[in-house]
Coordinates of all heavy atoms in Angstrom, one line a residue:
M1 N -22.6 -76.0 131.8 CA -21.2 -75.7 131.1 C -20.2 -76.8 131.5 O -20.3 -77.4 132.6 CB -20.7 -74.4 132.0 CG -21.0 -73.1 131.1 SD -20.3 -71.7 132.1 CE -21.8 -70.7 132.1
S2 N -19.3 -77.0 130.6 CA -18.3 -78.2 130.8 C -17.2 -77.8 131.7 O -17.1 -76.5 132.0 CB -17.9 -78.7 129.6 OG -16.9 -77.7 128.9
D3 N -16.4 -78.6 132.0 CA -15.1 -78.2 132.7 C -14.0 -77.6 131.8 O -13.0 -77.1 132.3 CB -14.6 -79.4 133.4 CG -15.5 -79.7 134.7 OD1 -16.2 -79.0 135.1 OD2 -15.4 -81.0 135.0
E4 N -14.1 -77.7 130.5 CA -13.2 -77.1 129.6 C -13.2 -75.5 129.8 O -14.2 -74.9 130.2 CB -13.4 -77.5 128.1 CG -13.3 -79.0 127.8 CD -13.9 -79.2 126.4 OE1 -13.7 -78.4 125.5 OE2 -14.4 -80.3 126.3
T5 N -12.2 -75.1 129.3 CA -12.0 -73.6 129.4 C -13.1 -73.0 128.5 O -13.1 -73.1 127.4 CB -10.6 -73.1 129.1 OG1 -9.7 -73.7 129.9 CG2 -10.5 -71.6 129.4
P6 N -14.0 -72.2 129.1 CA -15.1 -71.6 128.2 C -14.4 -70.5 127.4 O -13.5 -69.7 127.9 CB -16.0 -71.0 129.2 CG -15.4 -71.2 130.6 CD -14.1 -71.8 130.4
I7 N -14.9 -70.3 126.2 CA -14.4 -69.3 125.4 C -15.5 -68.1 125.1 O -16.7 -68.5 125.2 CB -14.1 -70.0 123.9 CG1 -13.0 -71.2 124.0 CG2 -13.8 -69.1 122.9 CD1 -11.7 -70.6 124.4
C8 N -14.9 -67.0 124.9 CA -15.7 -65.9 124.7 C -16.8 -66.0 123.6 O -16.4 -66.6 122.5 CB -14.8 -64.7 124.3 SG -15.7 -63.0 123.9
S9 N -18.0 -65.6 123.7 CA -19.1 -65.6 122.8 C -19.0 -64.7 121.6 O -19.8 -64.9 120.6 CB -20.5 -65.6 123.3 OG -20.7 -66.3 124.4
A10 N -18.1 -63.7 121.8 CA -18.1 -62.7 120.7 C -17.7 -63.5 119.3 O -16.8 -64.2 119.4 CB -17.1 -61.6 121.0
K11 N -18.2 -63.0 118.3 CA -17.7 -63.6 117.0 C -16.3 -63.5 116.8 O -15.7 -62.4 116.8 CB -18.5 -62.8 115.8 CG -18.7 -63.5 114.5 CD -19.5 -62.8 113.7 CE -19.8 -63.7 112.4 NZ -20.1 -62.9 111.2
G12 N -15.7 -64.6 116.4 CA -14.3 -64.6 115.9 C -13.3 -64.6 117.1 O -12.1 -64.7 117.0
C13 N -13.9 -64.4 118.3 CA -12.9 -64.3 119.5 C -12.7 -65.7 120.0 O -13.6 -66.4 120.3 CB -13.6 -63.4 120.6 SG -12.5 -63.2 122.0
R14 N -11.4 -66.1 120.3 CA -11.1 -67.4 121.0 C -10.5 -67.2 122.2 O -9.8 -68.1 122.9 CB -10.0 -68.0 120.1 CG -10.5 -68.2 118.6 CD -11.7 -69.0 118.5 NE -11.7 -70.4 119.0 CZ -12.6 -71.1 119.4 NH1 -13.8 -70.7 119.3 NH2 -12.4 -72.4 119.8
A15 N -10.6 -66.0 122.9 CA -10.1 -65.7 124.2 C -10.9 -66.4 125.4 O -12.1 -66.7 125.2 CB -10.0 -64.2 124.6
A16 N -10.2 -66.7 126.5 CA -11.0 -67.4 127.5 C -12.0 -66.5 128.2 O -11.6 -65.1 128.3 CB -9.9 -67.8 128.6
A17 N -13.1 -67.0 128.4 CA -14.1 -66.1 129.0 C -14.0 -66.0 130.5 O -13.6 -66.8 131.2 CB -15.5 -66.8 128.8
V18 N -14.2 -64.8 131.0 CA -14.1 -64.4 132.4 C -15.5 -63.9 132.9 O -15.6 -63.7 134.1 CB -13.0 -63.6 132.7 CG1 -11.7 -64.2 132.7 CG2 -12.9 -62.3 131.8
W19 N -16.4 -63.5 132.0 CA -17.6 -63.0 132.5 C -18.7 -63.8 132.0 O -18.7 -64.3 130.7 CB -17.8 -61.5 132.0 CG -16.8 -60.6 132.6 CD1 -15.6 -60.2 132.2 CD2 -16.9 -59.9 133.9 NE1 -15.0 -59.3 132.9 CE2 -15.8 -59.2 134.0 CE3 -18.0 -59.8 134.8 CZ2 -15.7 -58.4 135.1 CZ3 -17.7 -59.1 136.0 CH2 -16.7 -58.4 136.1
V20 N -19.9 -63.8 132.7 CA -21.2 -64.3 132.2 C -22.1 -63.3 132.0 O -22.3 -62.6 133.0 CB -21.7 -65.5 133.1 CG1 -22.9 -66.1 132.6 CG2 -20.5 -66.6 133.2
L21 N -22.7 -63.2 130.8 CA -23.8 -62.3 130.7 C -25.2 -63.0 130.7 O -25.4 -63.8 129.8 CB -23.5 -61.4 129.4 CG -22.6 -60.3 129.3 CD1 -21.2 -61.2 129.1 CD2 -22.7 -59.4 128.3
A22 N -26.0 -62.8 131.6 CA -27.2 -63.6 131.6 C -28.3 -62.7 131.1 O -28.5 -61.5 131.4 CB -27.7 -63.8 133.1
W23 N -29.1 -63.2 130.1 CA -30.1 -62.3 129.4 C -31.3 -63.2 129.2 O -31.4 -64.3 129.4 CB -29.4 -61.9 128.1 CG -29.0 -62.8 127.1 CD1 -27.9 -63.5 127.1 CD2 -29.8 -63.3 125.9 NE1 -27.8 -64.3 126.0 CE2 -28.9 -64.2 125.4 CE3 -31.0 -62.9 125.5 CZ2 -29.5 -64.8 124.2 CZ3 -31.3 -63.6 124.2 CH2 -30.6 -64.5 123.6
N24 N -32.4 -62.4 128.8 CA -33.6 -63.0 128.6 C -34.4 -62.2 127.5 O -34.5 -61.0 127.7 CB -34.4 -63.1 129.8 CG -35.9 -63.5 129.8 OD1 -36.7 -62.7 129.2 ND2 -36.2 -64.7 130.1
N25 N -34.9 -62.9 126.6 CA -35.6 -62.1 125.6 C -37.2 -62.4 125.9 O -37.6 -63.5 125.6 CB -35.4 -62.7 124.2 CG -36.3 -61.9 123.1 OD1 -37.3 -61.3 123.3 ND2 -35.9 -62.1 121.7
P26 N -37.9 -61.4 126.3 CA -39.3 -61.6 127.0 C -40.2 -62.2 125.9 O -41.3 -62.7 126.1 CB -39.6 -60.2 127.5 CG -38.6 -59.3 127.0 CD -37.3 -60.0 126.6
K27 N -40.0 -61.9 124.5 CA -40.9 -62.3 123.5 C -40.7 -63.8 123.3 O -41.7 -64.4 122.7 CB -40.4 -61.6 122.2 CG -40.8 -60.1 122.1 CD -40.5 -59.5 120.9 CE -41.0 -58.1 121.0 NZ -40.3 -57.2 119.9
I28 N -39.6 -64.4 123.6 CA -39.6 -65.8 123.4 C -39.2 -66.7 124.6 O -39.3 -68.0 124.5 CB -38.5 -66.1 122.3 CG1 -37.1 -65.5 122.5 CG2 -38.9 -65.6 120.8 CD1 -36.0 -65.9 121.5
H29 N -38.7 -66.0 125.6 CA -38.4 -66.9 126.8 C -39.3 -66.6 128.0 O -39.7 -65.5 128.2 CB -36.9 -66.5 127.3 CG -36.0 -66.7 126.2 ND1 -35.1 -65.8 125.9 CD2 -35.7 -67.8 125.4 CE1 -34.2 -66.2 124.9 NE2 -34.6 -67.5 124.6
A30 N -39.5 -67.6 128.8 CA -40.2 -67.4 130.0 C -39.4 -66.4 131.0 O -38.1 -66.5 130.8 CB -40.4 -68.7 130.7
P31 N -40.1 -65.7 131.8 CA -39.3 -64.7 132.6 C -38.2 -65.1 133.4 O -37.2 -64.2 133.6 CB -40.5 -64.0 133.5 CG -41.8 -64.4 132.8 CD -41.6 -65.7 132.1
E32 N -38.4 -66.2 134.0 CA -37.2 -66.8 134.8 C -36.1 -67.5 134.0 O -35.1 -67.7 134.6 CB -37.9 -67.7 135.8 CG -38.3 -69.1 135.3 CD -39.7 -68.9 134.6 OE1 -40.2 -67.9 134.7 OE2 -40.1 -70.1 134.1
R33 N -36.4 -67.6 132.7 CA -35.4 -68.3 131.9 C -34.1 -67.3 131.8 O -34.3 -66.1 131.6 CB -35.9 -68.5 130.6 CG -35.0 -69.3 129.6 CD -35.1 -70.8 129.5 NE -34.3 -71.3 128.5 CZ -34.5 -71.4 127.2 NH1 -35.7 -71.2 126.8 NH2 -33.6 -71.9 126.4
R34 N -33.0 -67.9 131.7 CA -31.8 -67.1 131.6 C -30.9 -67.8 130.5 O -30.5 -68.9 130.7 CB -30.9 -67.0 132.8 CG -31.5 -66.2 133.8 CD -31.5 -64.7 133.5 NE -32.1 -63.7 134.4 CZ -33.4 -63.6 134.5 NH1 -34.1 -64.0 133.6 NH2 -33.9 -62.8 135.5
K35 N -30.7 -67.1 129.4 CA -29.6 -67.4 128.4 C -28.4 -66.9 128.8 O -28.4 -65.7 129.5 CB -30.1 -66.9 127.1 CG -31.5 -67.4 126.4 CD -31.5 -68.8 126.1 CE -30.6 -68.8 124.7 NZ -30.5 -70.3 124.3
T36 N -27.3 -67.5 128.4 CA -26.1 -66.9 128.8 C -25.1 -66.7 127.7 O -25.0 -67.6 126.9 CB -25.3 -67.8 130.0 OG1 -25.2 -69.1 129.5 CG2 -26.1 -67.9 131.3
W37 N -24.4 -65.7 127.7 CA -23.2 -65.5 126.8 C -22.0 -65.3 127.6 O -22.0 -64.8 128.8 CB -23.4 -64.1 126.1 CG -24.2 -64.2 125.0 CD1 -24.8 -65.4 124.4 CD2 -24.6 -63.2 124.0 NE1 -25.6 -65.0 123.3 CE2 -25.5 -63.8 123.1 CE3 -24.4 -61.8 124.0 CZ2 -26.1 -62.9 122.0 CZ3 -25.0 -61.0 122.9 CH2 -25.7 -61.6 122.0
L38 N -20.8 -65.9 127.1 CA -19.6 -65.7 127.9 C -18.9 -64.6 127.2 O -18.9 -64.3 126.0 CB -18.9 -67.1 127.7 CG -19.6 -68.2 128.3 CD1 -18.9 -69.5 127.9 CD2 -19.7 -68.1 129.8
A39 N -18.0 -63.9 128.0 CA -17.3 -62.8 127.5 C -16.0 -62.7 128.1 O -15.7 -63.1 129.3 CB -17.9 -61.4 127.6
C40 N -14.9 -62.4 127.2 CA -13.6 -62.1 127.8 C -13.5 -60.8 128.3 O -14.5 -59.9 128.0 CB -12.5 -62.4 126.7 SG -12.7 -61.1 125.4
E41 N -12.5 -60.3 128.9 CA -12.4 -58.9 129.5 C -12.6 -57.9 128.4 O -13.3 -56.8 128.5 CB -10.9 -58.7 130.1 CG -11.1 -57.6 131.1 CD -11.9 -57.9 132.4 OE1 -11.6 -58.9 133.1 OE2 -12.7 -57.2 132.6
E42 N -12.2 -58.2 127.2 CA -12.2 -57.1 126.1 C -13.6 -57.0 125.5 O -14.1 -55.9 125.1 CB -11.3 -57.6 124.9 CG -11.1 -56.7 123.8 CD -10.4 -57.1 122.7 OE1 -9.7 -58.1 122.9 OE2 -10.5 -56.6 121.5
H43 N -14.5 -58.2 125.5 CA -15.7 -58.0 124.8 C -16.9 -57.9 125.8 O -18.1 -57.9 125.3 CB -15.8 -59.3 124.0 CG -15.1 -59.3 122.7 ND1 -14.1 -60.2 122.5 CD2 -15.1 -58.5 121.6 CE1 -13.4 -59.9 121.3 NE2 -14.0 -58.8 120.8
R44 N -16.7 -58.0 127.1 CA -17.8 -57.8 128.1 C -18.6 -56.5 127.8 O -19.9 -56.7 127.6 CB -17.2 -57.8 129.4 CG -18.3 -57.5 130.6 CD -17.7 -57.5 131.9 NE -16.8 -56.2 132.0 CZ -17.3 -55.2 132.5 NH1 -18.6 -55.0 132.9 NH2 -16.5 -54.1 132.6
E45 N -18.0 -55.4 127.5 CA -18.8 -54.3 127.3 C -19.6 -54.3 126.1 O -20.7 -53.8 126.0 CB -17.7 -52.9 127.4 CG -18.5 -51.7 127.7 CD -17.5 -50.5 127.9 OE1 -16.4 -50.8 128.5 OE2 -17.8 -49.4 127.5
H46 N -18.9 -54.7 125.0 CA -19.6 -54.9 123.8 C -20.8 -55.7 123.8 O -21.9 -55.4 123.3 CB -18.6 -55.3 122.7 CG -19.2 -55.6 121.4 ND1 -19.4 -54.5 120.4 CD2 -19.6 -56.6 120.8 CE1 -20.0 -55.1 119.3 NE2 -20.1 -56.4 119.6
L47 N -20.6 -56.8 124.3 CA -21.8 -57.7 124.4 C -22.9 -57.3 125.3 O -24.1 -57.4 125.0 CB -21.3 -59.1 124.8 CG -20.4 -59.8 123.8 CD1 -19.8 -61.1 124.4 CD2 -21.1 -60.2 122.5
A48 N -22.4 -56.7 126.4 CA -23.4 -56.1 127.3 C -24.2 -55.0 126.7 O -25.5 -54.9 126.9 CB -22.7 -55.7 128.6
Q49 N -23.6 -54.2 126.0 CA -24.2 -53.1 125.3 C -25.3 -53.7 124.3 O -26.3 -53.1 124.1 CB -23.3 -52.2 124.6 CG -23.7 -50.8 124.2 CD -22.6 -50.0 123.8 OE1 -21.6 -50.3 123.3 NE2 -22.8 -48.6 124.1
F50 N -24.8 -54.7 123.5 CA -25.7 -55.2 122.5 C -27.0 -55.9 123.2 O -28.1 -55.6 122.7 CB -24.9 -56.4 121.9 CG -25.7 -57.2 120.8 CD1 -25.6 -56.9 119.3 CD2 -26.6 -58.2 121.2 CE1 -26.3 -57.5 118.4 CE2 -27.3 -59.0 120.2 CZ -27.2 -58.5 118.8
L51 N -26.9 -56.5 124.3 CA -28.0 -56.9 124.9 C -28.9 -55.9 125.7 O -30.0 -55.8 125.7 CB -27.5 -58.1 126.0 CG -27.0 -59.4 125.4 CD1 -26.4 -60.2 126.5 CD2 -28.1 -60.1 124.7
G52 N -28.0 -54.9 126.2 CA -28.6 -53.8 126.9 C -29.5 -52.9 126.2 O -30.7 -52.6 126.6
V53 N -29.2 -52.6 124.8 CA -30.0 -51.8 124.0 C -31.3 -52.4 123.7 O -32.3 -51.8 123.4 CB -29.4 -51.3 122.9 CG1 -28.0 -50.3 123.2 CG2 -28.8 -52.4 122.0
R54 N -31.3 -53.8 123.7 CA -32.5 -54.5 123.4 C -33.4 -54.8 124.6 O -34.4 -55.3 124.6 CB -32.2 -55.8 122.6 CG -31.6 -55.6 121.3 CD -30.9 -56.7 120.7 NE -30.4 -56.5 119.4 CZ -29.3 -55.7 118.9 NH1 -28.6 -55.2 120.0 NH2 -29.1 -55.5 117.8
G55 N -32.8 -54.4 125.8 CA -33.6 -54.7 127.0 C -33.5 -56.0 127.6 O -34.3 -56.4 128.3
F56 N -32.5 -56.8 126.8 CA -32.4 -58.2 127.3 C -31.4 -58.6 128.5 O -31.6 -59.6 129.1 CB -31.9 -58.9 126.0 CG -32.8 -59.1 124.9 CD1 -32.3 -59.5 123.7 CD2 -34.1 -58.5 124.9 CE1 -33.1 -59.7 122.6 CE2 -34.8 -58.6 123.7 CZ -34.4 -59.1 122.6
L57 N -30.6 -57.7 128.8 CA -29.5 -57.9 129.7 C -30.1 -57.9 131.1 O -30.8 -57.0 131.5 CB -28.5 -56.9 129.6 CG -27.1 -57.3 130.5 CD1 -26.6 -58.5 130.1 CD2 -26.2 -56.1 130.4
K58 N -29.9 -59.0 131.9 CA -30.4 -59.2 133.3 C -29.2 -59.1 134.2 O -29.4 -58.6 135.3 CB -31.1 -60.6 133.5 CG -32.3 -60.6 132.6 CD -33.3 -59.8 132.9 CE -34.6 -59.9 132.1 NZ -35.5 -58.9 132.2
D59 N -28.0 -59.7 134.0 CA -27.0 -59.7 134.9 C -25.6 -59.9 134.3 O -25.6 -60.5 133.1 CB -27.3 -60.9 135.8 CG -26.8 -60.8 137.3 OD1 -26.3 -59.7 137.6 OD2 -27.1 -61.7 138.1
V60 N -24.7 -59.3 134.8 CA -23.2 -59.5 134.3 C -22.4 -60.0 135.6 O -22.4 -59.3 136.6 CB -22.7 -58.3 133.8 CG1 -21.1 -58.6 133.3 CG2 -23.4 -57.8 132.7
V61 N -21.9 -61.3 135.5 CA -21.4 -61.9 136.7 C -20.1 -62.5 136.4 O -20.0 -63.2 135.2 CB -22.3 -63.1 137.2 CG1 -21.9 -63.7 138.5 CG2 -23.7 -62.6 137.3
P62 N -19.0 -62.4 137.2 CA -17.8 -63.0 137.0 C -18.0 -64.6 136.8 O -18.8 -65.2 137.6 CB -17.0 -62.8 138.2 CG -17.5 -61.5 138.8 CD -19.0 -61.6 138.5
L63 N -17.3 -65.2 135.9 CA -17.6 -66.7 135.6 C -17.5 -67.5 136.9 O -18.3 -68.4 137.0 CB -16.6 -67.0 134.5 CG -16.6 -68.5 134.1 CD1 -18.0 -68.7 133.5 CD2 -15.6 -68.8 133.2
E64 N -16.4 -67.3 137.6 CA -16.2 -68.0 138.8 C -17.5 -68.0 139.7 O -18.0 -69.0 140.4 CB -15.1 -67.6 139.6 CG -13.9 -68.1 139.1 CD -12.6 -67.8 139.8 OE1 -12.7 -67.4 141.1 OE2 -11.5 -67.7 139.3
E65 N -18.0 -66.7 139.8 CA -19.1 -66.6 140.7 C -20.4 -67.3 140.1 O -21.3 -67.9 140.9 CB -19.4 -65.1 140.9 CG -20.5 -64.7 142.0 CD -20.8 -63.4 142.1 OE1 -19.9 -62.5 141.8 OE2 -22.0 -62.9 142.2
W66 N -20.5 -67.2 138.8 CA -21.6 -67.9 138.2 C -21.6 -69.5 138.4 O -22.6 -70.1 138.6 CB -21.7 -67.5 136.6 CG -22.8 -68.2 135.9 CD1 -22.8 -69.3 135.3 CD2 -24.1 -67.5 135.8 NE1 -24.0 -69.5 134.8 CE2 -24.8 -68.4 135.1 CE3 -24.6 -66.4 136.1 CZ2 -26.2 -68.2 134.6 CZ3 -25.9 -66.0 135.8 CH2 -26.7 -67.0 135.1
R67 N -20.5 -70.0 138.3 CA -20.4 -71.4 138.5 C -20.6 -71.7 140.0 O -21.2 -72.8 140.2 CB -18.8 -71.9 138.1 CG -18.7 -71.9 136.7 CD -17.2 -72.3 136.4 NE -17.2 -73.1 135.0 CZ -16.1 -73.3 134.4 NH1 -14.9 -73.2 135.0 NH2 -16.1 -73.9 133.2
A68 N -20.2 -70.9 141.0 CA -20.5 -71.2 142.3 C -22.1 -71.1 142.5 O -22.6 -71.9 143.2 CB -19.8 -70.1 143.1
R69 N -22.7 -70.2 141.9 CA -24.1 -70.1 142.0 C -24.8 -71.4 141.4 O -25.6 -72.0 142.0 CB -24.8 -68.9 141.2 CG -24.5 -67.6 141.9 CD -25.3 -66.6 141.1 NE -24.9 -65.2 141.2 CZ -25.4 -64.1 140.5 NH1 -26.3 -64.4 139.6 NH2 -25.0 -63.1 140.8
E70 N -24.3 -71.9 140.2 CA -24.9 -73.0 139.6 C -24.8 -74.3 140.6 O -25.7 -75.0 140.7 CB -24.2 -73.3 138.3 CG -24.4 -72.3 137.3 CD -25.5 -72.5 136.4 OE1 -25.5 -73.2 135.5 OE2 -26.6 -71.6 136.6
E71 N -23.6 -74.3 141.2 CA -23.4 -75.4 142.1 C -24.1 -75.4 143.3 O -24.5 -76.4 143.9 CB -21.8 -75.6 142.3 CG -21.1 -76.1 141.3 CD -19.5 -75.9 141.5 OE1 -19.1 -75.6 142.5 OE2 -18.8 -76.0 140.5
S72 N -24.4 -74.1 144.0 CA -25.2 -74.0 145.1 C -26.7 -74.1 144.9 O -27.3 -74.2 145.8 CB -24.9 -72.7 145.7 OG -25.3 -71.7 144.9
R73 N -27.0 -74.2 143.7 CA -28.5 -74.3 143.3 C -29.0 -75.7 143.7 O -28.4 -76.8 143.4 CB -28.7 -74.1 141.9 CG -30.1 -73.8 141.5 CD -30.3 -73.3 140.1 NE -29.6 -72.0 139.9 CZ -29.5 -71.4 138.7 NH1 -29.8 -71.9 137.6 NH2 -28.9 -70.1 138.7
P74 N -30.1 -75.7 144.4 CA -30.6 -77.0 144.9 C -31.0 -78.0 143.8 O -31.4 -77.6 142.7 CB -31.7 -76.7 145.8 CG -32.2 -75.3 145.5 CD -30.9 -74.7 144.8
Ligands
LIG1 ZN1 -13.7 -62.0 123.4

């Protein structure tokens, strides 16, 4: 992720993202792989539900916490 303000991944939304949705499609991704979607407060639930019904959703983390995790990774 860049230092620029991240934008929500929802279609047509230009709001600043505050959540990271980590997901994995077991048919095409290795189990430890994490794809990420960004979400604003308004779209977090919608995007989480989209991934959830497909069984892809692994984690929903505040953006700040996600960045802290990335930085602390060896
Ligand atoms: Zn949004």
Side-chain angles (χ1 to χ4, degrees):
M1 270 181 232
S2 75
D3 289 335
E4 285 171 42
T5 304
I7 299 297
C8 176
S9 300
K11 201 175 179 201
C13 181
R14 304 300 299 160
V18 282
W19 294 95
V20 176
L21 288 78
W23 60 279
N24 172 284
N25 179 347
K27 285 183 182 158
I28 57 173
H29 301 129
E32 69 281 2
R33 179 98 183 270
R34 288 291 178 275
K35 300 286 288 179
T36 55
W37 278 359
L38 300 168
C40 66
E41 204 65 63
E42 188 187 342
H43 288 114
R44 178 180 64 92
E45 201 173 318
H46 173 79
L47 293 172
Q49 200 170 28
F50 181 92
L51 294 167
V53 295
R54 288 161 179 79
F56 294 173
L57 187 62
K58 298 295 181 189
D59 215 357
V60 180
V61 184
L63 180 61
E64 281 184 23
E65 190 183 323
W66 183 266
R67 284 180 154 173
R69 281 192 203 177
E70 299 270 285
E71 280 165 20
S72 67
R73 200 168 288 173

